[in-house]
Amino acid sequence: MKLIKTKNKKYLIVGSLVLATATPSFAIFGVGDIVFDPTSYASLVSQATTALNQLKTIQSNIEHFSVKQQWQTALTKLENMNVASMFGETAGINIALNANSPSASLTGWKTATMPMSGSTSAYLQGQNVNSAQRAQLAMIETSDAISPDCLTAVGTYRSGRNQNSNANSLLAQQQLDITSSTNSEIEQLNLLNAAEAQRMSEMQAQGTLQACLAAQMTVANMQERNAAVLDLNTAATVQQQRSTNDTSAANESNTWQTYLP
């Protein structure tokens, strides 16, 4: 009888330990049914919520603009040039300065500049290739080639003002927008790329104008150089003439050779 009581006591102790270490759970609809564990359920719900939030973040980041051409620009907005033409002397210049028209640039330049007469052409034909007259002719011919091209460049730069104004405004508006429609990661990257494309277009257009400025400076330098060389050549010629021909007064033995007219 005592042995049986000892065994029962041992079973009670083991059962108590099992109950103390068991996770919180309970059976549905009585013993033997499916066991529901609230702790595991809460963990699964948390994991599912985290995964759903991550999915929403990914979806938000991959949203993109469907119309990117609205930001495309070529030039910067400028006001129209308006050149007076009282007697038609600048015909074509207005068109050349405000539109991409090489033909108007060439016509306008020829109309607005003094033509070379036939007799001048015959005179220049008999001059030495390195003469002052041929150097002046080279400068004129260079200017006649460069100037119409620069007129076209300026007109091309101005002609895109309406298109560029709209594109620039749309880009600036969406860059400053604070709504979710333009603030996903890929949308912001698209805006940055569009701004960089606009900047590159502007740099290319500015580069064309800067090339024209450099070309015009070359023509101006040619004129200044020709004038400086002509002065030096004149001084040398006068000095040579004074040395060869005695210009001293009567009964004078010294020749004044340092005077230049």
Side-chain angles (χ1 to χ4, degrees):
M1 190 66 170
K2 183 177 182 180
L3 180 60
I4 295 174
K5 290 183 178 180
T6 302
K7 288 183 178 181
N8 291 337
K9 184 178 182 180
K10 184 184 296 185
Y11 293 150
L12 289 175
I13 294 173
V14 173
S16 297
L17 290 175
V18 171
L19 291 175
T21 58
T23 56
S25 61
F26 56 90
I28 303 176
F29 304 122
V31 179
D33 290 332
I34 299 174
V35 177
F36 176 77
D37 187 349
T39 304
S40 300
Y41 177 76
S43 177
L44 291 175
V45 171
S46 177
Q47 293 176 8
T49 303
T50 301
L52 181 60
N53 290 336
Q54 291 176 347
L55 177 61
K56 290 181 178 179
T57 301
I58 294 174
Q59 290 177 338
S60 176
N61 287 340
I62 63 175
E63 291 180 0
H64 61 279
F65 294 103
S66 59
V67 182
K68 299 180 181 179
Q69 291 81 5
Q70 60 185 344
W71 307 317
Q72 185 176 1
T73 61
L75 310 171
T76 299
K77 180 181 179 181
L78 290 176
E79 296 180 356
N80 279 335
M81 290 287 292
N82 188 14
V83 182
S85 184
M86 186 175 295
F87 304 106
E89 65 279 0
T90 60
I93 294 293
N94 274 330
I95 297 176
L97 289 176
N98 295 296
N100 182 8
S101 178
S103 60
S105 299
L106 184 60
T107 301
W109 180 255
K110 288 183 176 180
T111 303
T113 55
M114 183 181 297
M116 191 173 296
S117 66
S119 58
T120 302
S121 299
Y123 166 74
L124 291 173
Q125 187 175 5
Q127 299 299 311
N128 186 278
V129 66
N130 292 323
S131 65
Q133 292 78 14
R134 286 286 188 92
Q136 289 293 99
L137 176 62
M139 184 195 66
I140 293 171
E141 290 172 336
T142 303
S143 177
D144 286 344
I146 289 174
S147 299
D149 187 61
C150 289
L151 287 173
T152 302
V154 174
T156 303
Y157 190 86
R158 293 176 177 276
S159 63
R161 61 191 179 277
N162 293 331
Q163 170 196 351
N164 298 334
S165 177
N166 185 46
N168 287 331
S169 297
L170 285 173
L171 181 61
Q173 178 182 355
Q174 292 184 345
Q175 284 177 329
L176 298 175
D177 185 31
I178 61 174
T179 63
S180 59
S181 60
T182 60
N183 282 278
S184 70
E185 180 179 358
I186 194 168
E187 287 167 338
Q188 287 296 306
L189 291 175
N190 283 332
L191 290 174
L192 291 174
N193 289 335
E196 183 66 17
Q198 289 188 5
R199 188 176 72 88
M200 289 297 297
S201 297
E202 175 64 19
M203 289 176 63
Q204 292 173 353
Q206 289 285 346
T208 302
L209 295 180
Q210 291 173 7
C212 286
L213 289 176
Q216 294 288 359
M217 290 178 64
T218 300
V219 174
N221 289 337
M222 290 177 65
Q223 184 175 14
E224 292 181 2
R225 182 189 181 281
N226 289 341
V229 171
L230 182 61
D231 287 343
L232 293 175
N233 291 342
T234 300
T237 300
V238 171
Q239 180 68 21
Q240 183 181 8
Q241 292 296 324
R242 295 304 187 198
S243 300
T244 303
N245 302 299
D246 189 1
T247 57
S248 61
N251 300 323
E252 290 287 340
S253 60
N254 295 324
T255 301
W256 191 5
Q257 299 180 354
T258 59
Y259 171 77
L260 296 177

